[in-house]
């Protein structure tokens, strides 16, 4: 990965005297949101035989959106800054998240850290990327893959064996917990299916759609960014409502530049580096990432040249 003199920027990490939270009591917000999301997940099962189909369709679509919301907000921030002082509480929260979104948190952490190693890099001479989920990995001529293909096919490209192998290499104990989390969410889905197979048939399409929406979100967090410039690796969006509800997921260029900065410090980080961002041609969009295709300055897939099409940081 390239380095830059602006990497000398330092942001003070939040401190707290809380006996529960490791960084700040503000983390009670994403933690509570994660608990509510878990209750919502099981609540849909309870409501399925008790409410009309049109109500369940609304709840199912909401669950799909909430999967992306959780992965890119609650779960994502938990990866970089675990919420609790207690390793046990962090482990229990990780298991709960795995069941709620239907994907192992430990496996997600491994994939995400590999994403940070490559930072949506372009394929090398052998067609390989460091970042397993790079938007350029399956593109052509160094361009990003078409967003629809990336959104709906990436789910089927996930390689649990590759992730497990990497986990075993790095930390066999975490590999065990990764498999345990996968077993937990699969067992949950199987038990729900035994109790009501009609419900599982109803749930699975919305579960799949939710992960597709997460990939859609990820696509526009990098599409139009510059894989060769550290301070402009990602694409940011600064709408208040989006960042308040998605736990500052919009500050994605800032996050890639400083992955360990706590979500409550993202604005402070941006204030320090905004001049360098403008100089580097950081791409900023005005809509939430998942709606990036609505951006008025969106470059085409065939002409995705960050030097020509990036919009400077506001």
């Amino acid at each position: 990965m390239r380095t830059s003199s602006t990497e000398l920027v330092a942001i003070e990490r939040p401190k707290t005297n809380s006996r529960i939270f490791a960084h700040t009591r503000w983390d009670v917000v994403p933690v509570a949101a994660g608990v509510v999301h878990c209750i919502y997940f099981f609540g849909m099962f309870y409501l399925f035989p008790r409410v009309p189909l049109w109500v369940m369709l609304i709840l199912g679509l909401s669950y799909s959106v909430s999967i992306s919301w959780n992965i890119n907000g609650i779960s994502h921030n938990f990866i970089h800054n675990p919420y609790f002082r207690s390793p046990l509480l962090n482990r229990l929260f990780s298991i709960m998240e795995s069941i709620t979104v239907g994907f192992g948190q430990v496996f997600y952490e491994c994939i995400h850290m590999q994403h940070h190693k490559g930072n949506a890099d372009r394929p090398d001479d052998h067609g390989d990327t460091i970042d397993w989920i790079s938007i350029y990995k399956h593109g052509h001529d160094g361009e990003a893959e078409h967003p629809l293909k990336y959104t709906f096919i990436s789910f089927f490209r996930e390689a649990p064996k590759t992730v497990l192998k990497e986990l075993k290499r790095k930390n066999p104990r975490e590999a065990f917990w990764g498999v345990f989390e996968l077993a937990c969410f699969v067992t949950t889905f199987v038990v729900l299916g035994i109790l009501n197979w009609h419900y599982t048939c109803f749930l699975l399409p919305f579960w799949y759609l939710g992960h597709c929406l997460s990939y859609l979100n990820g696509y526009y967090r990098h599409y139009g960014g510059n894989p060769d410039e550290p301070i402009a690796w990602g694409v940011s969006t600064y709408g208040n409502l989006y960042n308040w509800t998605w736990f500052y997921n919009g500050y994605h260029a800032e996050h890639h530049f400083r992955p360990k900065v706590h979500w409550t410090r993202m604005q402070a980080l941006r204030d320090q580096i905004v001049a360098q961002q403008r100089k580097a041609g950081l791409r900023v969009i005005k809509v939430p990432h998942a709606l990036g295709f609505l951006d008025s300055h969106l470059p085409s897939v065939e002409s995705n040249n960050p030097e020509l099409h990036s919009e400077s940081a506001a």
Side-chain angles (χ1 to χ4, degrees):
M1 296 185 297
R2 288 184 54 187
T3 58
S4 169
S5 61
T6 50
E7 287 187 320
L8 297 176
V9 172
I11 297 295
E12 182 182 359
R13 294 178 64 81
K15 299 177 182 178
T16 180
N17 59 2
S18 171
R19 295 183 179 180
I20 298 176
F21 295 102
H23 306 287
T24 169
R25 287 182 173 86
W26 278 108
D27 279 337
V28 70
V29 180
V31 168
V35 172
V36 170
H37 193 205
C38 186
I39 294 172
Y40 182 93
F41 171 72
F42 287 105
M44 286 198 305
F45 175 77
Y46 173 79
L47 291 174
F48 183 74
R50 296 174 172 82
V51 299
L53 178 60
W54 66 268
V55 174
M56 287 306 305
L57 290 175
I58 294 174
L59 294 176
L61 287 172
S62 298
Y63 176 62
S64 295
V65 175
S66 70
I67 287 176
S68 178
W69 164 74
N70 191 324
I71 290 174
N72 293 288
I74 301 167
S75 181
H76 175 241
N77 284 314
F78 179 65
I79 283 175
H80 292 282
N81 294 290
Y83 298 134
F84 303 104
R85 293 189 184 277
S86 165
L88 176 61
L89 286 179
N90 282 323
R91 183 65 66 191
L92 292 175
F93 188 82
S94 182
I95 294 171
M96 183 191 74
E97 283 286 279
S98 301
I99 293 172
T100 303
V101 303
F103 187 76
Q105 177 75 17
V106 171
F107 272 51
Y108 170 42
E109 179 177 359
C110 182
I111 294 169
H112 188 71
M113 291 307 180
Q114 191 70 23
H115 171 60
H116 275 283
K117 288 181 182 178
N119 295 289
D121 56 324
R122 292 188 175 93
D124 59 21
D125 294 338
H126 302 286
D128 297 323
T129 57
I130 298 172
D131 180 359
W132 296 332
I133 57 174
S134 172
I135 64 174
Y136 300 97
K137 184 177 180 66
H138 298 280
H140 300 286
D141 301 321
E143 303 297 341
E145 184 177 10
H146 192 281
L148 289 178
K149 186 179 178 183
Y150 183 85
T151 297
F152 292 103
I153 302 298
S154 291
F155 177 86
F156 301 103
R157 293 172 178 157
E158 293 175 355
K161 288 184 179 180
T162 301
V163 180
L164 182 58
K165 181 179 179 181
E166 180 66 11
L167 281 171
K168 287 181 176 179
R169 184 188 67 83
K170 294 169 61 177
N171 188 334
R173 185 170 181 270
E174 281 301 290
F176 165 80
W177 283 110
V179 173
F180 180 81
E181 289 179 347
L182 289 180
C184 284
F185 98 75
V186 170
T187 300
T188 300
F189 276 48
V190 170
V191 170
L192 294 180
I194 293 173
L195 295 175
N196 189 336
W197 68 268
H198 294 92
Y199 175 74
T200 300
C201 292
F202 165 83
L203 175 67
L204 289 178
F206 292 108
W207 170 68
Y208 163 70
L209 178 60
H211 286 274
C212 289
L213 292 176
S214 181
Y215 277 111
L216 176 65
N217 187 288
Y219 185 91
Y220 286 105
R221 287 190 301 184
H222 287 278
Y223 183 67
N226 188 343
D228 302 314
E229 179 56 54
I231 206 167
W233 274 326
V235 174
S236 290
T237 178
Y238 301 118
N240 286 334
L241 180 60
Y242 175 55
N243 281 293
W244 291 339
T245 54
W246 289 63
F247 305 102
Y248 285 78
N249 180 63
Y251 289 69
H252 200 65
E254 292 81 1
H255 170 67
H256 266 268
F257 186 59
R258 273 289 185 273
K260 290 298 291 183
V261 171
H262 194 270
W263 64 274
T264 60
R265 295 290 190 269
M266 297 310 297
Q267 179 64 60
L269 173 60
R270 187 198 175 215
D271 290 343
Q272 285 200 31
I273 64 175
V274 64
Q276 294 97 315
Q277 288 179 324
R278 290 192 180 117
K279 184 177 179 180
L282 171 67
R283 178 168 172 73
V284 176
I285 58 178
K286 296 181 180 179
V287 295
H289 287 116
L291 301 178
F293 54 87
L294 298 176
D295 182 66
S296 58
H297 300 286
L298 187 70
S300 65
V301 174
E302 293 77 13
S303 60
N304 180 20
N305 185 332
E307 293 184 359
L308 298 178
H309 295 277
S310 295
E311 177 183 337
S312 296

